[in-house]
Amino acid sequence: MPKPLRRSRRTWVAVWVVLCVAGIAATDALNASPAPDPQPEKPVSAECAEYIADIEAQLTKAEREGTDNAVLALTRTRAGADDCSDEIRDHFSGDR
């Protein structure tokens, strides 16, 4: 049965150092690269914009009254109303 190849500690340390330096160089290159262009905002329908403005007004009123830690429940059950859930999520995702 053939003997396994033995490597000295210096060889293992050298390989480890090379891998670490390559990882650091790759990380620096990724950090130095420019950020991707932001996605253009999708147009929001007038009805959804009105609904978002209404939510903003209710949040402002709650903050003024000192109840900003309370739960704000919103419902809109008009027949034929636009589904604004995606627009609301996009609008408030980074604000709060």
Side-chain angles (χ1 to χ4, degrees), residues 8-72:
S8 68
R9 277 190 203 159
R10 287 183 186 166
T11 305
W12 286 114
V13 170
V15 168
W16 186 252
V17 168
V18 168
L19 289 174
C20 288
V21 169
I24 291 171
T27 302
D28 285 341
L30 288 173
N31 287 338
S33 66
D37 294 332
Q39 296 286 334
E41 290 189 24
K42 296 183 285 184
V44 178
S45 70
E47 186 176 357
C48 291
E50 178 185 330
Y51 190 40
I52 289 172
D54 184 42
I55 294 170
E56 291 276 352
Q58 291 182 31
L59 287 171
T60 303
K61 180 181 174 188
E63 287 175 358
R64 248 187 288 122
E65 293 174 355
T67 58
D68 54 339
N69 291 332
V71 174
L72 183 62

